[in-house]
Amino acid sequence: MISWQAMALNGILRFTMKRPGSKPIDLTRLRESTRNPSRFTLTIPHGYSVAAVRGDGGLQFDLVEATGRPASSAKVLVLYLHGGGYIFGSPKTHRQVLIAMAKAFAAPVYGLDYRLAPEHPFPAAVEDAARAYDWLLARHPGSQIVLAGDSAGGGLAIATAVGIRDAALKQPAAIVAFSPYSDLAITGASIETNARSCAMFNPKGIREAAAMYLAGADPRDPRASPLYADLSGLPPMLLFVSRHEVLRDDTLRLAERAVAAGVKVQVVERDRLPHVWPIFVALLPEAREAFGQVAAFARQITALRVPA
């Protein structure tokens, strides 16, 4: 049984996202709907601050810090990559999940404002995430970095970890991904079997967004679709997915391949919840429960030394 809040959100998403998704993507409408987030979305709780930070080469972040725990002295920090199909969204639209992540890891969170398609198609987002990680390593050489993200950002977090391993850089401490979009070839059975039950997406919209981002590139390129990457040597992962979303199999197949490659993986599956339900942490009791699981995962990563 899901909460009444989740039932209401499912209804809203079906009307505002799934129904328009049966038509060609209206990028102007999508971006207008998120360009000026509500005061509710932008609320900053007592004891936390959010500041704009600029990195090298034009990188832009929103940095969430707890009072008295500045990023400059952090032993752990989180690089968060927002969702939005690589075509919309920003750290501001995801402010509440950035704050929730900061609480769960007792750590500062850098939300990267990476370049979006179609103006900046693949591999622009991958390049930005890699540069952001390099910049954070140089800025915080003594810190452990956690990679996290939702949907496209979740897939991007995993692809970034693969690139970090291949470049022989200091490895991330862990990965947290909410419904990671890991297969832009869109071969999972759930894209069709869950077409009716998914509250957020139609298969048509998923395929159109992928084509917009790829701009003719190979959808099985591991940088775009980490499902096809060699996942060996990656850090522990915590993955969340709804059994009733069209992208369910992106998470479950990725988890299977990661486990087969020797990666420690925890998967949290829930029924009847929308895609990336943990990001609705200010609305859903199920999302707050999910962040309790994120906090527990953080404490399991003993090298992080996260306080209980």
Side-chain angles (χ1 to χ4, degrees):
M1 188 69 179
I2 62 174
S3 67
W4 69 263
Q5 295 96 326
M7 287 189 282
L9 179 61
N10 280 340
I12 292 168
L13 291 172
R14 283 183 181 278
F15 183 77
T16 61
M17 290 197 68
K18 186 168 187 174
R19 185 177 176 184
S22 62
K23 302 174 182 178
I25 290 175
D26 184 342
L27 196 56
T28 300
R29 183 193 67 84
L30 265 180
R31 290 181 175 175
E32 282 297 329
S33 69
T34 59
R35 183 163 289 135
N36 297 302
S38 68
R39 291 176 61 186
F40 179 73
T41 299
L42 296 177
T43 297
I44 302 170
H46 178 73
Y48 286 84
S49 64
V50 179
V53 174
R54 297 186 71 87
D56 295 342
L59 291 171
Q60 297 184 61
F61 306 85
D62 276 7
L63 170 61
V64 176
E65 295 174 294
T67 303
R69 291 196 300 231
S72 58
S73 61
K75 296 185 183 301
V76 179
L77 57 87
V78 178
L79 172 58
Y80 194 89
L81 304 168
H82 68 82
Y86 296 108
I87 60 175
F88 74 104
S90 73
K92 287 183 173 55
T93 62
H94 285 62
R95 177 168 292 180
Q96 294 308 310
V97 74
L98 299 184
I99 292 168
M101 196 66 71
K103 292 178 179 179
F105 275 92
V109 176
Y110 284 86
L112 175 63
D113 197 6
Y114 58 85
R115 290 173 293 167
L116 299 175
E119 297 86 351
H120 304 283
F122 172 80
V126 182
E127 293 169 348
D128 287 357
R131 289 193 300 120
Y133 189 85
D134 287 346
W135 183 78
L136 289 173
L137 281 180
R139 186 178 175 90
H140 303 282
S143 299
Q144 303 229 33
I145 301 175
V146 173
L147 293 174
D150 63 279
S151 195
L156 182 56
I158 297 163
T160 300
V162 171
I164 291 165
R165 181 206 59 203
D166 291 348
L169 298 174
K170 178 182 175 180
Q171 285 288 290
I175 298 170
V176 178
F178 306 125
S179 301
Y181 187 18
S182 69
D183 178 18
L184 273 67
I186 313 176
T187 62
S190 62
I191 196 74
E192 297 295 342
T193 59
N194 283 354
R196 289 178 62 87
S197 61
C198 183
M200 193 176 289
F201 296 129
N202 285 298
K204 179 180 178 295
I206 294 292
R207 294 188 174 98
E208 187 179 355
M212 195 176 292
Y213 172 57
L214 290 167
D218 181 0
R220 288 179 170 79
D221 186 320
R223 296 172 300 164
S225 299
L227 180 68
Y228 302 102
D230 171 11
L231 302 175
S232 61
L234 295 193
M237 296 184 192
L238 176 62
L239 309 177
F240 291 78
V241 69
S242 170
R243 291 188 183 96
H244 292 87
E245 62 169 297
V246 293
L247 294 180
R248 178 198 65 198
D249 289 353
D250 280 40
T251 297
L252 297 185
R253 290 181 300 156
L254 181 93
E256 289 174 2
R257 294 188 183 191
V259 169
V263 180
K264 294 181 179 179
V265 181
Q266 297 179 42
V267 180
V268 178
E269 292 183 79
R270 291 291 303 270
D271 290 326
R272 303 294 173 189
L273 293 175
H275 176 65
V276 298
W277 88 86
I279 76 167
F280 299 103
V281 64
L283 298 173
L284 303 184
E286 293 91 345
R288 292 188 285 275
E289 178 185 345
F291 269 97
Q293 293 168 297
V294 174
F297 174 72
R299 294 193 291 271
Q300 290 172 17
I301 310 302
T302 56
L304 297 182
R305 297 186 297 277
V306 176

PDB file of all heavy atoms in Angstrom, residues 88 112 130:
ATOM      1  N   PHE A  88      16.532  18.810 -19.643  1.00  0.00           N
ATOM      2  CA  PHE A  88      16.033  19.884 -18.775  1.00  0.00           C
ATOM      3  C   PHE A  88      16.409  19.554 -17.338  1.00  0.00           C
ATOM      4  O   PHE A  88      16.955  18.493 -17.040  1.00  0.00           O
ATOM      5  CB  PHE A  88      14.524  20.086 -18.932  1.00  0.00           C
ATOM      6  CG  PHE A  88      13.669  19.014 -18.290  1.00  0.00           C
ATOM      7  CD1 PHE A  88      13.006  19.253 -17.094  1.00  0.00           C
ATOM      8  CD2 PHE A  88      13.514  17.767 -18.891  1.00  0.00           C
ATOM      9  CE1 PHE A  88      12.217  18.272 -16.507  1.00  0.00           C
ATOM     10  CE2 PHE A  88      12.715  16.794 -18.325  1.00  0.00           C
ATOM     11  CZ  PHE A  88      12.072  17.046 -17.128  1.00  0.00           C
ATOM     12  N   LEU A 112      25.879  19.672  -9.751  1.00  0.00           N
ATOM     13  CA  LEU A 112      26.473  20.178 -10.991  1.00  0.00           C
ATOM     14  C   LEU A 112      25.402  20.619 -11.978  1.00  0.00           C
ATOM     15  O   LEU A 112      24.471  19.870 -12.284  1.00  0.00           O
ATOM     16  CB  LEU A 112      27.338  19.090 -11.633  1.00  0.00           C
ATOM     17  CG  LEU A 112      27.942  19.428 -12.999  1.00  0.00           C
ATOM     18  CD1 LEU A 112      28.915  20.605 -12.899  1.00  0.00           C
ATOM     19  CD2 LEU A 112      28.626  18.207 -13.608  1.00  0.00           C
ATOM     20  N   ALA A 130      32.935  14.542 -15.714  1.00  0.00           N
ATOM     21  CA  ALA A 130      34.332  14.149 -15.525  1.00  0.00           C
ATOM     22  C   ALA A 130      35.173  15.340 -15.075  1.00  0.00           C
ATOM     23  O   ALA A 130      36.006  15.220 -14.150  1.00  0.00           O
ATOM     24  CB  ALA A 130      34.889  13.565 -16.818  1.00  0.00           C
TER      25      ALA A 130
END
